[in-house]
Amino acid sequence: MRRARIPQPISGGLLLSYKCSAACRHCMYACSPQWDGDWLTKEDLETVLSLLARRIQPSPWGNQTISLNHGLHFTGGEPFLNFELLLEAVRMAEEMGIPSTFVETNCSWCGSDERTRERLQTLKEAGLKGILISVNPFYAEYVPFERTERCIRISQEVFGVNVVVYQAAYYHRFRQMDLTGRMPLEEYIKRTQGERLAEQVELFLMGRAARKLREFYRRYPAQRLFHEPCQPPFLRNWHNHFDNYGNLMPGYCGGISLGDWRDLDALEDEGIDLDEHPVLGFLIAEDIEGLLGFASDFGYQESEEGYVSKCDLCLDIRSHLVSRGNFGELRPREFYAQLE
Ligand code: SF4
Ligand code: SF4
């Protein structure tokens, strides 16, 4: 029997739900308002945090500081859509001694100074160490910029240096543009006289980005992508994601499950049964050519228009397999329905 052991995670993100107030074109996890909430239950929250408490490592600058690839972050979807659960998660994580916790947000909930300050202060008092605030032209299609500005300003008052603005260059550019309200991507491109998004916005061409941003990128035949490594590496101990359905997701690879995080001890000690999970077998071996051959037996045909990235090819194959069979490693299935 072929098996592969999971490296013990030292950092990661906890998806409280895939439900979001936005449906960004670049979303790796295909989140949107259309998802059923299916918020992480309190029981599962306790289980996953107690499993992670023994594993999560602090930021190199100490457990009261944050760093993208250390500690634990609360994410989604938009975690502030269920503030009560977010607060509970922060409280529990603090009680269990999980270091370097932060929350990721798109700021859509920051309608007033008062509400923003009250929520951020409440989270800080419950033990949250910091916040990551998302800014780029894809978020700007959904979130009025004054809410983003408010969130950054008040977060810096509440969390001090533990505020990451990702990507800060866009925050400054939007301020220079005197942006107010939302801005469609096409309008942004017009106002920046055709900024080449492919060169400027840092993103992985995976998940919904592979579907919705194709027009901005060159496409290649599958064969050109066979020998590209997964970046970051497919199996790694940092920045993996744990979703509200129990899936342990490798890195940012939406729609792929290494197994149920409730079985984390066994996944680390005994490993994944690759005969039972053939798609994982090909992905772990970085054999996308083999995966293509496997999918051909299920009727998959290579796209004539080509692929913008290895992840695009991987996603197209997986979407086809999901339509043809029940692969336990291709979860949640709803992800594949929410890509468009
Ligand atoms: S990128 Fe973030 S804000 Fe946008 S849809 Fe995905 S989870 Fe929501
Ligand atoms: S090719 Fe597939 S497995 Fe590798 S990083 Fe991209 S989505 Fe993940």
Side-chain angles (χ1 to χ4, degrees):
M1 188 192 295
R2 294 180 310 140
R3 303 197 81 95
R5 286 161 65 174
I6 305 279
Q8 188 175 90
I10 59 155
S11 69
L14 182 58
L15 270 85
L16 302 186
S17 164
Y18 288 79
K19 196 170 186 68
C20 192
S21 47
C24 304
R25 301 190 206 201
H26 71 314
C27 187
M28 295 183 278
Y29 312 121
C31 299
S32 82
Q34 272 73 48
W35 279 77
D36 289 332
D38 293 332
W39 295 90
L40 197 63
T41 63
K42 299 240 167 107
E43 194 187 357
D44 279 345
L45 181 60
E46 192 160 3
T47 305
V48 70
L49 289 179
S50 59
L51 285 166
L52 293 176
R54 291 183 266 135
R55 294 170 165 91
I56 297 294
Q57 299 295 313
S59 144
W61 300 280
N63 58 9
Q64 301 297 310
T65 64
I66 64 169
S67 137
L68 290 190
N69 295 323
H70 295 84
L72 180 70
H73 58 280
F74 303 103
T75 186
E78 174 48 58
F80 281 85
L81 287 179
N82 190 338
F83 186 71
E84 192 195 328
L85 179 64
L86 173 60
L87 181 57
E88 185 69 33
V90 169
R91 277 196 190 118
M92 265 191 214
E94 179 68 3
E95 274 166 24
M96 294 182 193
I98 297 180
S100 302
T101 51
F102 65 97
V103 65
E104 286 183 358
T105 184
N106 67 19
C107 313
S108 56
W109 55 277
C110 298
S112 72
D113 278 20
E114 194 185 16
R115 176 180 161 90
T116 305
R117 184 169 287 105
E118 191 232 307
R119 286 186 158 192
L120 293 177
Q121 193 62 44
T122 303
L123 291 172
K124 175 154 198 246
E125 282 162 17
L128 191 71
K129 311 298 180 240
I131 187 166
L132 182 145
I133 295 168
S134 306
V135 194
N136 75 22
F138 307 119
Y139 299 106
E141 293 201 277
Y142 290 92
V143 181
F145 185 57
E146 47 276 24
R147 297 191 179 208
T148 307
E149 285 189 299
R150 176 178 292 121
C151 192
I152 292 172
R153 172 172 50 84
I154 298 177
S155 290
Q156 286 170 339
E157 289 167 23
V158 173
F159 292 108
V161 293
N162 286 341
V163 178
V164 177
V165 179
Y166 186 73
Q167 300 169 265
Y170 278 104
Y171 168 64
H172 296 300
R173 183 170 306 173
F174 291 155
R175 280 178 65 101
Q176 280 162 4
M177 293 167 85
D178 285 328
L179 179 61
T180 53
R182 302 179 180 89
M183 180 169 51
L185 185 63
E186 292 69 23
E187 172 70 17
Y188 175 77
I189 292 172
K190 206 161 101 192
R191 285 177 68 175
T192 55
Q193 291 160 352
E195 177 184 281
R196 294 171 69 86
L197 286 174
E199 287 157 23
Q200 299 292 329
V201 185
E202 186 183 62
L203 55 81
F204 295 108
L205 280 171
M206 62 203 313
R208 192 182 284 131
R211 295 284 165 88
K212 294 282 210 176
L213 298 174
R214 308 180 65 73
E215 63 190 280
F216 300 107
Y217 293 85
R218 265 185 79 179
R219 291 167 214 169
Y220 304 93
Q223 197 186 5
R224 283 277 300 274
L225 304 163
F226 285 163
H227 302 295
E228 283 201 1
C230 289
Q231 283 178 337
F234 184 69
L235 283 188
R236 60 188 211 224
N237 63 357
W238 52 275
H239 211 126
N240 293 299
H241 288 88
F242 305 81
D243 82 6
N244 51 311
Y245 299 110
N247 299 304
L248 167 51
M249 190 192 311
Y252 311 114
C253 305
I256 300 178
S257 177
L258 295 172
D260 193 316
W261 45 250
R262 296 174 193 89
D263 304 324
L264 191 53
D265 291 335
L267 287 168
E268 288 169 3
D269 296 341
E270 294 153 33
I272 312 163
D273 180 340
L274 298 181
D275 294 323
E276 264 189 32
H277 302 99
V279 179
L280 290 182
F282 290 112
L283 293 178
I284 288 168
E286 299 220 342
D287 182 7
I288 200 88
E289 184 178 4
L291 183 61
L292 181 61
F294 175 75
S296 302
D297 295 340
F298 288 83
Y300 180 76
Q301 291 186 330
E302 188 180 333
S303 159
E304 283 179 9
E305 66 171 33
Y307 305 90
V308 293
S309 63
K310 180 184 173 189
C311 299
D312 181 21
L313 171 61
C314 174
L315 178 64
D316 204 48
I317 293 173
R318 288 187 278 120
S319 299
H320 178 82
L321 290 173
V322 163
S323 72
R324 292 302 166 96
N326 189 13
F327 295 88
E329 62 268 56
L330 300 182
R331 289 194 180 142
R333 286 179 74 92
E334 174 91 24
F335 164 89
Y336 295 91
Q338 294 285 350
L339 286 165
E340 297 299 340

